[in-house]
Amino acid sequence: MAENLVEMRELVKQFPVKSGLLQREVATVNAVAGVDLDVKRGETLGLVGESGCGKTTLGRMLVRLLEPTSGTINFDGQDVTHLSDRELKPFRKRVQIIFQDPYSSLDPRAQVGESIAEGLRLHGIGDKDERRERVTDMLELVGLKADHVGRYPHEFSGGQRQRIGIARALILKPDLVVADEPVSALDVSVQAQVLNLLKELQDELDLTLMFIAHNLGVVEHISNRVAVMYLGRIVELTDRDTLYANPLHPYTEALLSAIPIPDPDRSRDRHILQGEIPSPLNPPSGCHFHPRCPIARQGLCDVEDPRLMEGPDEVDHLAACWLRAGDRAVAGV
Ligand code: SF4
């Protein structure tokens, strides 16, 4: 059995920009601009970056809600990049998504039991009684009650609705779940409960998880490895402990410094990110991060585009930067 459940290679997603009465295509946005990324069997891979960095687009391509423009996605040894509708059905049974806003992803007129059972029905699994039993078991597994089965989404709190979203994603016993900002819409007090639930379920059900977030603080406790994304590309990738202790990329350093420290006696150097993430319609020259980078070097960073490279430490640690932490002293930065 291969170590990698998912292998994405040179993955690109472009969206056309249309204008005028005739809606002519006037430009192309590279939302995902050539990503190579593996997801190992059984791991939680955190995928982090600001809004607009392409992380949601990447997640949606992986579950095949979006068709890649180019590149390949391999899932469990099978090329799933361009599956037909008929081929997608067995794939969808194995790969599920949890959305950020559980309310808009649930039919407000359907009882939650029906929404959770939908996947079972579509795949012809069990008769009515067996499906009901599986749904009530799943409700209890995600911390709800069996008698919630006949209630409607508006009768639940945000955290409970996300538990319903998780139940719906897990009812088919998938191998891979893409959780797209599953706690971003929840109160901070509820976020920890849902994160803990996902972690427990992952261990119990032997799931592989891609966890998408815009904040490195959210993925710290749940991830085995973390990929940091900026303007459609992965800019740093390594195991969780290495990333949080020894980030190599200035963008990762800035994201890390934004995590609040609950201990008033400890502080952290703040690297405030300047400006907004640039438009992927017109990305900056050279390193795409250079207009916001506090250590950008003129004549290098604005000209030469760094690719993901092994870092100076002796672990698998990739970063796309000419002046990675560790190399900076040598470069006189
Ligand atoms: Fe900053 Fe230059 Fe590294 Fe880009 S390549 S992150 S601009 S130091």
Side-chain angles (χ1 to χ4, degrees), residues 249-250 287 289-290 293 295-297 301 306 320-323:
H249 197 286
C287 170
F289 187 58
H290 88 260
C293 180
I295 57 166
R297 186 172 276 190
C301 300
C321 173
W322 298 121
L323 301 169

Side-chain angles (χ1 to χ4, degrees), residues 235 248-253 285-298 300-302 304-306 309 320-325 328 333:
V235 296
L248 295 180
H249 197 286
Y251 181 56
T252 313
E253 292 176 296
S285 62
C287 170
H288 290 353
F289 187 58
H290 88 260
R292 303 173 79 193
C293 180
I295 57 166
R297 186 172 276 190
Q298 230 188 341
L300 171 65
C301 300
D302 53 344
E304 301 284 343
D305 186 6
M309 300 170 268
C321 173
W322 298 121
L323 301 169
R324 297 164 302 188
R328 287 179 205 157
V333 178

Side-chain angles (χ1 to χ4, degrees), residues 89 92-93 96 113-126 131 134-135 167-173:
K89 198 171 172 188
R92 292 252 154 82
K93 190 163 174 278
Q96 290 284 314
E114 289 172 41
S115 292
I116 296 170
E118 192 184 359
L120 297 173
R121 263 196 321 275
L122 287 174
H123 288 274
I125 297 170
R131 287 201 290 265
R134 265 175 82 161
V135 168
R168 207 159 67 136
L170 299 185
I171 193 78
L172 288 167
K173 302 185 180 155

Side-chain angles (χ1 to χ4, degrees), residues 6 48 59 70 89 104 139 164 179 242 296:
V6 176
V48 179
S70 62
K89 198 171 172 188
S104 62
L139 278 170
I164 296 165
T242 303

Side-chain angles (χ1 to χ4, degrees), residues 152-169:
Y152 291 88
H154 72 268
E155 298 178 66
F156 293 90
S157 68
Q160 287 176 318
R161 284 200 286 263
Q162 194 52 289
R163 287 173 191 265
I164 296 165
I166 293 169
R168 207 159 67 136

